[in-house]
């Protein structure tokens, strides 16, 4: 009789333990499903930690996301444009990588926007005084404009596309931009750097741009 009671007790404990484990797994799945696919793509493009920090910094509890195609979709559109480009063209199609509007209740507490396009600025124009005041050279293929406007940061990167004209990489560089008041220059840079790396890696530039871990120091 004693052995039977011990056996029953062990069975109950086993059921409780398994039930708790299953409940924990279910809770994790529910939390994963609660995150919108668009916010997940934002994290993929801009870095999960960077996105979470940006939302936290803007003091909001609810996030509305727009844009955010996958990196491969952004890359396909940009590569297609580069292959069709001629020197007489002035392309200005801008692609939104991620836009997050952060709310606290009904009040908008902050917005973070990341976009990319082929620039009308060539690398040869960077020596022009009016451009050199804004853009700082990082290396032969990358320039950064730390604060071209309120709460904005930009990065110019050469990316040669197979099938495009020979001068495309220098005459038609990529221009990335991240804007967001209140998130601070350091976080804006982290978002911008991660965004540029995600897109250029997906594009398969013949000579990948070397994007630094920190922006160039002010001169």
């Amino acid at each position: 009789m004693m052995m039977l009671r011990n056996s029953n007790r062990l069975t109950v404990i086993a059921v409780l333990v398994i039930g708790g484990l299953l409940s924990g797994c279910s809770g994790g799945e529910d939390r994963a499903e609660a995150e919108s696919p668009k916010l997940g793509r934002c994290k993929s493009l801009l870095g999960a930690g960077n996105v979470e920090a940006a939302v936290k910094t803007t003091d909001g509890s609810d996030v509305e996301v727009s844009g955010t195609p996958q990196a491969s979709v952004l890359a396909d559109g940009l590569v297609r444009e580069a292959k069709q480009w001629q020197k007489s063209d002035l392309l200005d199609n801008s692609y939104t990588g991620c836009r997050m509007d952060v709310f606290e209740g009904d009040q908008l507490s902050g917005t973070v926007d990341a976009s990319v396009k082929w620039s009308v600025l060539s690398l040869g124009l960077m020596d022009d005084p009016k451009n050199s005041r804004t853009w700082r050279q990082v290396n032969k293929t990358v320039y950064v404009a730390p604060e071209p406007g309120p709460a904005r940061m930009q990065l110019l990167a050469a990316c040669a596309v197979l099938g495009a004209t020979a001068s495309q990489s220098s005459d038609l560089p990529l221009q990335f931009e991240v804007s967001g008041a209140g998130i601070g220059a350091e976080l804006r840079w982290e978002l911008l750097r991660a965004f540029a790396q995600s897109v250029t890696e997906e594009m398969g530039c013949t000579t990948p741009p070397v994007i630094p871990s920190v922006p160039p120091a002010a001169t």
Side-chain angles (χ1 to χ4, degrees), residues 14-32:
V15 169
L16 291 173
V17 170
I18 293 172
L21 289 173
L22 290 175
S23 175
C25 292
S26 175
E29 290 172 357
D30 290 343
R31 285 191 295 272

Side-chain angles (χ1 to χ4, degrees), residues 161-190:
V161 174
L162 285 174
T165 59
S167 65
Q168 172 265 315
S169 63
S170 59
D171 289 343
L172 188 72
L174 289 165
Q175 186 169 325
F176 296 89
E177 178 175 317
V178 168
S179 61
I183 63 173
E186 184 176 343
L187 182 52
R188 269 198 300 277
W189 167 254
E190 291 300 325

Side-chain angles (χ1 to χ4, degrees), residues 10 12 49 57 76 89 101 103 106 111 130 144 166 179 183 192 211 217:
L10 290 173
V12 170
T57 302
D76 288 347
D89 295 337
D101 293 312
F103 291 85
D106 294 331
T111 296
K130 68 178 182 181
V144 175
S179 61
I183 63 173
L192 181 64
I211 299 169

Side-chain angles (χ1 to χ4, degrees), residues 90-108:
L90 292 177
L91 296 177
D92 56 3
N93 294 328
S94 182
Y95 298 85
T96 299
C98 172
R99 179 185 171 93
M100 296 182 293
D101 293 312
V102 185
F103 291 85
E104 181 57 46
D106 294 331
Q107 299 295 317
L108 180 66

Side-chain angles (χ1 to χ4, degrees), residues 36-49:
S36 73
K38 285 187 175 182
L39 184 57
R41 289 196 290 270
C42 268
K43 290 183 177 181
S44 178
L45 279 172
L46 308 178

